[in-house]
Amino acid sequence: MVDSERASIPTPNRRRASRTTKGPRPEAARFQAERHALKKIQVHFEFQQSLMHDIRVAAAQENLSPSDFVRSLVGLSHAEIQRPRISLSFSTADLETLAVRYGQQPDARELKRHVIEEVRRHFAKPQDSGTASR
């Protein structure tokens, strides 16, 4: 059993021999997707502000990102949105401002909960007033 344990431990000679083979190294397989992505060419488009607005609205109506909407429009494939989300970056000053606004400590997780609730309240107002009169 000691011999089999030694066989599983690569020796310097075995390492050199495996590098001369033409097959991919095991760690290289982990980066196949990244290597494929690096081969893509990223092209930035600048549209007039009104056209950008129309693209964003149409994309939102079709539950797509603006990029995926344009890809679909020109006949290219696009991935379905798995987890739609909006990312916001908060500086330390932003966290402190939000902490004061919500009367909390500048804890990002707790402040995130308050931001979500405020956004929900903002968009719930028109719907609540329409359903309250029924």
Side-chain angles (χ1 to χ4, degrees):
M1 195 173 253
V2 174
D3 290 335
S4 65
E5 288 175 7
R6 285 185 189 161
S8 67
I9 300 171
T11 63
N13 292 342
R14 286 186 185 149
R15 251 189 233 159
R16 261 187 250 132
S18 67
R19 286 186 187 162
T20 59
T21 61
K22 301 238 178 189
R25 295 187 312 219
E27 66 269 9
R30 293 186 299 164
F31 300 106
Q32 282 299 99
E34 287 85 353
R35 214 176 289 133
H36 179 68
L38 288 174
K39 291 181 182 179
K40 293 182 180 179
I41 298 171
Q42 188 168 31
V43 180
H44 297 273
F45 293 88
E46 292 182 11
F47 296 109
Q48 291 178 345
Q49 189 173 2
S50 61
L51 185 54
M52 283 297 295
H53 178 266
D54 292 344
I55 291 169
R56 281 192 220 99
V57 169
Q61 289 171 341
E62 293 192 25
N63 198 27
L64 295 171
S65 70
S67 304
D68 286 339
F69 177 80
V70 172
R71 287 183 62 86
S72 175
L73 188 69
V74 299
L76 297 174
S77 64
H78 60 84
E80 295 295 321
I81 296 176
Q82 298 298 317
R83 282 189 337 187
R85 58 182 163 218
I86 296 173
S87 298
L88 301 175
S89 298
F90 295 134
S91 67
T92 304
D94 292 336
L95 291 174
E96 290 170 1
T97 300
L98 290 172
V100 169
R101 178 183 184 110
Y102 299 122
Q104 300 286 317
Q105 295 296 315
D107 172 49
R109 188 174 291 177
E110 187 64 25
L111 293 173
K112 176 182 173 181
R113 189 176 60 78
H114 286 285
V115 169
I116 289 170
E117 186 56 37
E118 185 167 342
V119 170
R120 283 186 181 146
R121 279 194 314 267
H122 174 81
F123 286 100
K125 286 182 182 180
Q127 293 172 356
D128 289 344
S129 63
T131 58
S133 61
R134 290 182 182 179

